[in-house]
Amino acid sequence: MEMLTELWGLSLNQTILLVAAIFVVVDFFMPTDVPTHIAYVLLCLLVAVNIHAHILIKILAGLLTWFALIAFHYCFWRATVQRVVNSFIAPDRYWSGADGTVGSQGSIREVDGGKMAKVHGDLWPCHGGESLTDGTPVTVVSTKDGILIVKEERKS
């Protein structure tokens, strides 16, 4: 281990932290969570190895660290940081399905007595267009569970 410190200039713990940080940064530019999960595994191993206790306590500490990191990942990381990444670092991210229609213009169509929004040539279930008539131009404001939220397009 001293050889690694002399050769690299960092201790094993510092090297593992550096590699974990690199994996997290790589995750900013990849549309997958795999690099971050690899970083979480490295951090759990780092915690377990550095606790001076019985092996069962080390395993328990590693598992608790894992659960805490996973909770952090799905409650904070994906909800907040990924929005920032998608807005500033990778704004051209492709959105498919209903999410890809937000901001688009379309029109209301009556199909079997119900109202649907025709956007990009596809018919979508919608809310907000119930009082509108067939052919009324609309703009997709948002989506919820695959249903478009539309508003009437105002002509200036």
Side-chain angles (χ1 to χ4, degrees):
M1 182 130 113
E2 290 179 21
M3 179 189 261
L4 179 64
T5 302
E6 291 173 13
L7 179 68
W8 178 249
L10 298 175
S11 69
L12 182 60
N13 290 343
Q14 292 169 333
T15 303
I16 291 172
L17 282 173
L18 178 64
V19 170
I22 289 170
F23 275 119
V24 170
V25 169
V26 165
D27 188 41
F28 275 110
F29 303 101
M30 294 181 68
T32 179
D33 291 334
V34 172
T36 301
H37 287 290
I38 292 171
Y40 293 162
V41 169
L42 289 173
L43 292 173
C44 292
L45 289 172
L46 190 65
V47 167
V49 167
N50 285 300
I51 292 178
H52 301 292
H54 190 270
I55 186 71
L56 293 176
I57 302 296
K58 288 182 177 195
I59 292 171
L60 182 62
L63 286 173
L64 289 174
T65 303
W66 171 258
F67 288 125
L69 289 171
I70 293 300
F72 165 78
H73 182 79
Y74 289 106
C75 293
F76 175 74
W77 181 262
R78 291 186 74 194
T80 305
V81 177
Q82 284 298 337
R83 284 191 189 126
V84 172
V85 170
N86 292 340
S87 297
F88 299 111
I89 295 176
D92 294 329
R93 184 172 177 181
Y94 175 74
W95 294 97
S96 64
D99 292 332
T101 63
V102 175
S104 300
Q105 281 80 30
S107 60
I108 294 294
R109 296 287 181 229
E110 288 188 34
V111 178
D112 294 333
K115 306 282 182 166
M116 306 226 14
K118 185 173 184 178
V119 180
H120 302 304
D122 296 322
L123 288 173
W124 295 91
C126 66
H127 289 304
E130 291 79 11
S131 64
L132 303 175
T133 60
D134 191 43
T136 305
V138 293
T139 301
V140 180
V141 178
S142 65
T143 64
K144 182 174 182 182
D145 299 328
I147 298 173
L148 306 184
I149 311 300
V150 297
K151 68 174 184 174
E152 185 175 3
E153 190 175 310
R154 302 282 182 203
K155 294 186 177 157
S156 321

